């Protein structure tokens, strides 16, 4: 892997007197999956939203070298228009982006869904199916970077595994770089190349995934690791 698609230096994000992100620095490399892990309120989702402009940095430096960045939100069902079928949702995205060499059927194939869901509405699908449709919609924009904010937190364990496997396959087959936000180290254990562990707005551990799991330096990371099921 070579090249950084994101370079973040000393990022601070404040809401009034509250500082949600307290000076974090990291890179997202071309073709990698980077995990940012922490409990609710740690600041990880704030980082994701700041990277795509939904939140404003108070200070620091963000350099994006990617031509296209898309985000998959935690609430997959809520992020889809309830009045539009899957076909309409994907077709509209392709039309807006001016992409004519892909079809809704091809996008569903990329995320492992059958054509049977094309004429279904979000309320007629499972949470896992809606999450895959959200990923398909993001892929319609042909992103270099996919930011996935807690994409499996509302799903049962078996569906979680399928969605996480999908992310790995997209990285392998399409070369997409992925920033994966999660609150559970078990989620990122077998998916991410590198991991940043976040507590109260700061990174308390970061490095190659195996190194973080085998040699954590902070008590917070050790506590999170103690909650990971042993198989």
């Amino acid at each position: 892997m070579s090249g950084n698609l994101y370079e973040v230096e000393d990022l601070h994000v404040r809401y009034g007197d509250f500082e949600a992100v307290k000076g974090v620095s990291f890179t997202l490399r071309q073709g990698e999956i980077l995990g940012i892990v922490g409990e609710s309120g740690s600041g990880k989702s704030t980082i994701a939203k700041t990277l795509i402009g939904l939140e404003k940095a108070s200070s620091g430096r963000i350099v994006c070298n990617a031509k296209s960045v898309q985000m998959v939100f935690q609430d997959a069902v809520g992020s889809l228009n309830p009045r539009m079928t899957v076909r309409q949702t994907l077709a509209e995205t392709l039309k807006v982006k001016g992409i004519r060499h892909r079809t809704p059927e091809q996008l569903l194939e990329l995320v492992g869904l059958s054509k049977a869901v094309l004429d279904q509405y979000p309320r007629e699908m499972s949470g896992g199916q809606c999450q895959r449709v959200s990923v398909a919609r993001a892929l319609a924009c042909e992103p270099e970077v996919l930011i996935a904010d807690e994409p499996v937190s509302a799903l049962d364990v078996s569906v979680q595994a399928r969605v996480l496997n999908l992310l790995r396959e997209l990285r392998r087959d399409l070369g997409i770089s992925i920033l994966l936000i999660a609150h559970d180290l078990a989620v990122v254990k077998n998916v991410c190349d590198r991991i940043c562990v976040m507590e109260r707005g700061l990174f308390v551990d970061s490095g190659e995934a195996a190194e973080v799991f085998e040699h954590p330096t902070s008590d917070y990371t050790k506590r999170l690791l103690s909650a990971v099921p042993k198989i």
Side-chain angles (χ1 to χ4, degrees), residues 164-175:
L164 293 172
N165 285 336
L166 168 63
L167 296 180
R168 285 190 294 191
E169 291 166 3
L170 292 173
R171 187 268 296 272
R172 181 194 67 202
D173 298 339
L174 302 178

Side-chain angles (χ1 to χ4, degrees), residues 30-51:
Q30 185 176 6
E32 79 166 343
I33 301 179
L34 172 67
I36 298 181
V37 185
E39 295 173 322
S40 296
S42 61
K44 59 190 186 301
S45 291
T46 299
I47 290 177
K49 292 174 183 177
T50 304
L51 291 183

Side-chain angles (χ1 to χ4, degrees), residues 197-219:
V197 180
M198 195 168 194
E199 180 186 21
R200 297 179 181 178
L202 293 168
F203 287 164
V204 294
D205 260 304
S206 63
E208 300 297 317
E211 183 67 19
V212 171
F213 272 86
E214 294 171 14
H215 305 290
T217 60
S218 74
D219 290 338

Side-chain angles (χ1 to χ4, degrees), residues 25-226:
S25 300
F26 64 94
T27 59
L28 177 64
R29 301 168 184 164
Q30 185 176 6
E32 79 166 343
I33 301 179
L34 172 67
I36 298 181
V37 185
E39 295 173 322
S40 296
S42 61
K44 59 190 186 301
S45 291
T46 299
I47 290 177
K49 292 174 183 177
T50 304
L51 291 183
I52 64 170
L54 289 179
E55 299 290 353
K56 184 177 180 180
S58 302
S59 62
R61 177 172 172 264
I62 298 175
V63 177
C64 178
N65 298 311
K67 295 178 182 178
S68 176
V69 179
Q70 290 295 310
M71 188 163 178
V72 176
F73 294 91
Q74 178 178 352
D75 181 7
V77 178
S79 72
L80 298 173
N81 189 328
R83 298 183 179 181
M84 295 177 70
T85 64
V86 172
R87 186 193 304 275
Q88 292 169 330
T89 294
L90 299 180
E92 179 182 63
T93 305
L94 290 168
K95 181 179 179 181
V96 168
K97 293 296 180 179
I99 296 172
R100 299 180 179 180
H101 59 276
R102 279 189 174 167
T103 65
E105 290 84 354
Q106 290 171 331
L107 291 171
L108 288 185
E109 185 177 352
L110 284 174
V111 299
L113 283 176
S114 73
K115 298 176 183 178
V117 304
L118 275 171
D119 296 311
Q120 291 183 338
Y121 293 90
R123 65 180 179 274
E124 298 174 321
M125 297 185 294
S126 68
Q129 287 175 318
C130 286
Q131 194 61 273
R132 285 173 178 252
V133 170
S134 294
V135 174
R137 180 178 58 184
L139 294 179
C141 303
E142 300 186 335
E144 290 183 81
V145 175
L146 188 66
I147 298 177
D149 186 12
E150 297 273 14
V152 299
S153 63
L155 308 177
D156 64 44
V157 175
S158 62
V159 180
Q160 282 187 11
R162 290 198 292 272
V163 172
L164 293 172
N165 285 336
L166 168 63
L167 296 180
R168 285 190 294 191
E169 291 166 3
L170 292 173
R171 187 268 296 272
R172 181 194 67 202
D173 298 339
L174 302 178
I176 293 175
S177 298
I178 299 172
L179 179 64
L180 177 60
I181 307 296
H183 66 268
D184 186 349
L185 273 169
V187 167
V188 303
K189 183 176 183 181
N190 298 312
V191 179
C192 295
D193 303 296
R194 292 187 298 133
I195 297 171
C196 299
V197 180
M198 195 168 194
E199 180 186 21
R200 297 179 181 178
L202 293 168
F203 287 164
V204 294
D205 260 304
S206 63
E208 300 297 317
E211 183 67 19
V212 171
F213 272 86
E214 294 171 14
H215 305 290
T217 60
S218 74
D219 290 338
Y220 179 72
T221 304
K222 293 173 184 177
R223 291 200 305 272
L224 290 181
L225 285 170
S226 68

